[in-house]
Amino acid sequence: MASRVVSIPKRFSFPYTLNISAAGLSQAYSSALAGRQDVDLDPYPFKPRLTFRPDGTFKITVFSDLHYGENPWDTWGPQQDANSTQLMNTVLEDEKPDYVVLNGDLITGENTFRQNSTTLIDEIVAPLNRLRIPFSSTHGNHDNEPNITHAEEIKREQLVAPLSYTRAAPAWADGEGYGPGTYWVPVYTRNTDRAPSLILWFFDSRGGFSEGANSTALPDWVDESVADWITLTVSHMNAAWGPAEQVARGSLVFVHIPPHAVQALQPGLNSTQDPGLNADLLGEGSTQATSDPANNGKDQPYWDAVNAQIKNLHGVISGHDHGNEWCKREPTKNVIFCFDKHSGYGGYSSAGWGHGVRNVVFRSPNPSVGPETWIRMQDGETHAHIIMDDSYN
């Protein structure tokens, strides 16, 4: 296979050679290289570096499907938001995470008013601001609606949350302007380290509807251009820091709508080895590119790139389907997939589901040591513990 060596100007030199396969490059990817688009390997120069604790651990708490902003015209809706805020306060004060992920559907955009939709972000991030906890967001189908867009939520979050690490993909990889929330966040073993030991990846699965009076349905999958962005980004990381397999750099992926491949896992679940609530039957619209049969499989370029390019991948974590919280190894890619726990009091629910979070604790910066993950309910009860390593499933 032919190989292209690309020289890209950086603020520091690459100790490794930047080799990018010249075969099969898409037009977007080729244009990016031709235009010498840079990949910034120090994306947060004015924010604190995220680091593992001195004992070698790093704890992430994941809130999913908060669904703020429902029924703002009556008392029921604001009360659900207050309940969700109370859950966040309770969990954050108990768990004391090093990092928080808001994994999509922050707002129920179809219920909000255009003139003040983004101010709901202020309410959502208030507990994180108060406790000074760094965090990132992904965005879901309900965050793209006539009264709100992913881009607007990102801009508001960056404005009102000093410790937000959410940012946007380059324009050529944002899914026609409606999937900007694709980015990565580095975590270092020590503050003085030159290279990170963990990369947190965030992908925008789009979905929902375009803004304005003439709103139309949007694609509900990660855009295929993101596959090229992954390849480009990983190539720069490997050139600057060394290949992940050689330097022991781990990864974890967050995306709101589960990849289509996950749908085939549900019939084979074993409640003992795949613990967690399994109350949402996966069907049309439950996973990426399934709202319209004509689009089936359109998330495959993204799914292929994630698993081919991102090495030492501990797993992929999604929300969207409120009645599921199980994990399972996806056999075609040999990768662990986990659902979040429905956190918000907004959005659909059912008796007995409850509300809570998914915790993920990295027990070591070394990716050979898999993180532990489990569901924590609002009242403190925990269940569905697994270790995300080679021994699982």
Side-chain angles (χ1 to χ4, degrees):
M1 181 178 291
S3 188
R4 177 183 301 172
V5 179
V6 182
S7 176
I8 306 285
K10 297 298 301 172
R11 290 197 295 268
F12 51 86
S13 61
F14 289 135
Y16 297 82
T17 302
L18 179 57
N19 285 308
I20 303 173
S21 171
L25 296 179
S26 74
Q27 183 177 359
Y29 190 18
S30 298
S31 297
L33 291 179
R36 300 174 69 85
Q37 289 203 25
D38 206 358
V39 174
D40 189 354
L41 295 179
D42 184 19
Y44 303 103
F46 304 111
K47 291 184 185 293
R49 268 194 169 191
L50 303 174
T51 60
F52 281 73
R53 297 180 185 184
D55 66 358
T57 63
F58 185 79
K59 184 177 188 178
I60 301 173
T61 294
V62 187
F63 295 87
S64 187
D65 296 272
L66 288 164
H67 282 280
Y68 275 68
E70 296 197 349
N71 290 32
W73 50 83
D74 61 25
T75 58
W76 180 88
Q79 183 58 53
Q80 305 320 300
D81 293 350
N83 293 342
S84 297
T85 297
Q86 181 57 53
L87 178 144
M88 290 187 72
N89 284 326
T90 297
V91 169
L92 292 173
E93 289 169 5
D94 286 354
E95 297 293 333
K96 297 177 175 57
D98 301 297
Y99 203 71
V100 162
V101 172
L102 307 177
N103 204 11
D105 278 358
L106 281 66
I107 294 172
T108 302
E110 62 268 33
N111 279 181
T112 60
F113 299 120
R114 179 68 182 166
Q115 62 269 26
N116 64 356
S117 290
T118 59
T119 59
L120 289 163
I121 294 295
D122 305 29
E123 190 174 350
I124 294 168
V125 304
L128 298 164
N129 284 345
R130 178 177 64 84
L131 295 170
R132 296 191 55 77
I133 299 173
F135 71 99
S136 287
S137 298
T138 69
H139 300 85
N141 47 304
H142 289 280
D143 296 307
N144 270 334
E145 292 289 347
N147 293 329
I148 195 73
T149 68
H150 291 188
E152 290 169 340
E153 289 190 18
I154 292 171
K155 289 177 182 177
R156 184 69 183 185
E157 184 181 306
Q158 291 173 335
L159 178 66
V160 301
L163 290 179
S164 166
Y165 286 69
T166 305
R167 54 195 175 94
W172 62 270
D174 78 349
E176 300 175 4
Y178 291 100
T182 289
Y183 60 100
W184 55 273
V185 175
V187 183
Y188 298 81
T189 301
R190 293 168 294 273
N191 190 53
T192 55
D193 287 351
R194 179 184 174 278
S197 50
L198 173 66
I199 303 294
L200 305 177
W201 297 85
F202 301 88
F203 296 104
D204 196 321
S205 51
R206 303 183 294 174
F209 294 83
S210 61
E211 78 276 20
N214 299 314
S215 182
T216 58
L218 297 172
D220 58 348
W221 62 88
V222 178
D223 191 76
E224 64 179 7
S225 64
V226 173
D228 294 332
W229 176 87
I230 293 169
T231 303
L232 180 65
T233 302
V234 170
S235 296
H236 281 74
M237 289 177 175
N238 290 346
W241 302 326
E245 310 98 299
Q246 295 182 20
V247 300
R249 182 172 64 250
S251 286
L252 185 64
V253 164
F254 297 91
V255 60
H256 178 70
I257 303 178
H260 187 196
V262 169
Q263 198 152 315
L265 303 181
Q266 193 170 42
L269 289 176
N270 178 308
S271 61
T272 300
Q273 69 178 21
D274 312 313
L277 184 68
N278 177 30
D280 240 350
L281 181 64
L282 300 180
E284 183 178 308
S286 298
T287 58
Q288 291 184 37
T290 58
S291 294
D292 182 340
N295 295 325
N296 285 356
K298 288 196 173 180
D299 67 326
Q300 196 65 43
Y302 153 75
W303 189 235
D304 289 343
V306 162
N307 288 282
Q309 299 295 330
I310 301 177
K311 305 300 183 181
N312 294 332
L313 176 59
H314 291 290
V316 177
I317 298 178
S318 294
H320 189 60
D321 300 295
H322 299 184
N324 289 334
E325 54 185 47
W326 45 267
C327 296
K328 181 76 171 175
R329 186 177 295 277
E330 199 282 296
T332 69
K333 302 297 187 184
N334 193 31
V335 64
I336 296 172
F337 170 83
C338 289
F339 275 106
D340 292 320
K341 178 62 188 174
H342 180 205
S343 304
Y345 279 76
Y348 73 93
S349 189
S350 189
W353 290 6
H355 303 275
V357 298
R358 175 170 290 282
N359 280 325
V360 182
V361 174
F362 287 86
R363 301 173 296 159
S364 167
N366 190 324
S368 66
V369 180
E372 182 179 4
T373 185
W374 67 93
I375 300 298
R376 179 241 154 90
M377 304 298 285
Q378 183 170 3
D379 64 4
E381 183 269 336
T382 66
H383 59 271
H385 292 249
I386 71 162
I387 303 295
M388 303 174 76
D389 63 10
D390 291 343
S391 68
Y392 179 67
N393 273 341

